[in-house]
Amino acid sequence: MAFDSAHSVRRDSGWGIIASLADADGSATHPMPRTLGNRHVAVRDFADCVHTLCALHGSHPGVIDLAAARNVQPLAQDWLAEAAEGFAVERSYLATLTAAAGPLPSTPGQAESEAAVIGQRHALEMLAQSDRAGCATGAAIALVLDWTTIRLTLDAAANRFGVTPPASALPIEAEIATVAASLGDTPGVERAMAFGAQQLLAQHRGLWDLLEARASARNHL
């Protein structure tokens, strides 16, 4: 139900092309976050999830930090700074959860999985450092939007690991909507923002696909 609520708020709010992309391709549409929301899911699946998310988003500088450092859109700078500060809380939360989860669960094809996540992280770093005006900010906006669903999964993991989730310090939805609307001042920038958002969401879907495949492999050991 929480996934449905988070999803419908964005769908009905008229946030434009990035919100539409998040609705169509965001984490809330993938079955794996819903699976992890099941109270009977194996603890090892949560452990795999937090370890993998930490490998993708737990390092500094991350997507938002890199986007802020290379930003060429003055109207985005304050928002990016706020988002980067807020995501630092999420990064610390990921580290806490990873420690609480214990070792990464044994899974067939571990080397290939690690290589896949390294490739995803590299792709996100390149995206966040793009010289194309709007691309990096689109990716950063999509990350904050999609993190709503990811946070629900992290909080479910925290419940299983006995960790108290910190309050989110990420920009609220109204602020995201305002900045997204203000930055697409030309068709070219708007297209670049959409491209950045689309690519970020594609990497997240790839991550959920990987986690789903890994869970299935463990279940067939």
Side-chain angles (χ1 to χ4, degrees):
M1 182 64 69
F3 289 104
D4 294 328
S5 297
H7 193 209
S8 64
V9 166
R10 288 203 297 274
R11 183 187 62 230
D12 297 335
S13 62
W15 286 10
I17 188 168
I18 294 180
S20 296
L21 287 168
D23 276 351
D25 299 322
S27 294
T29 66
H30 197 284
M32 192 58 183
R34 294 176 182 270
T35 298
L36 290 169
N38 188 319
R39 70 176 61 184
H40 302 299
V41 70
V43 172
R44 64 180 181 270
D45 291 344
F46 274 124
D48 196 29
C49 177
V50 298
H51 273 279
T52 307
L53 279 167
C54 192
L56 186 63
H57 286 300
S59 299
H60 182 271
V63 170
I64 303 172
D65 308 289
L66 293 170
R70 295 285 292 271
N71 179 45
V72 295
Q73 295 175 283
L75 290 176
Q77 196 60 42
D78 287 347
W79 183 86
L80 285 169
E82 179 188 356
E85 185 176 342
F87 203 80
V89 175
E90 302 304 309
R91 191 180 297 116
S92 177
Y93 185 27
L94 275 172
T96 299
L97 286 175
T98 302
L104 187 68
S106 177
T107 307
Q110 181 60 38
E112 292 83 354
S113 296
E114 289 177 358
V117 176
I118 290 171
Q120 287 186 314
R121 189 170 66 226
H122 179 68
L124 291 179
E125 289 171 353
M126 296 295 291
L127 192 66
Q129 297 177 87
S130 172
D131 290 327
R132 185 181 176 190
C135 183
T137 48
I141 289 168
L143 173 57
V144 176
L145 275 176
D146 208 42
W147 203 258
T148 302
T149 296
I150 294 173
R151 182 52 125 88
L152 291 172
T153 302
L154 295 181
D155 289 351
N159 183 59
R160 295 294 290 273
F161 298 145
V163 172
T164 301
S168 174
L170 289 171
I172 63 173
E173 291 181 347
E175 293 172 352
I176 305 170
T178 299
V179 75
S182 67
L183 293 176
D185 52 354
T186 69
V189 171
E190 187 176 78
R191 286 192 296 270
M193 290 175 64
F195 176 80
Q198 186 176 48
Q199 294 302 305
L200 182 287
L201 295 169
Q203 294 300 328
H204 279 184
R205 290 192 67 82
L207 182 77
W208 293 120
D209 286 345
L210 177 64
L211 289 170
E212 188 174 49
R214 285 171 58 79
S216 177
R218 286 191 297 273
N219 290 335
H220 289 87
L221 285 176

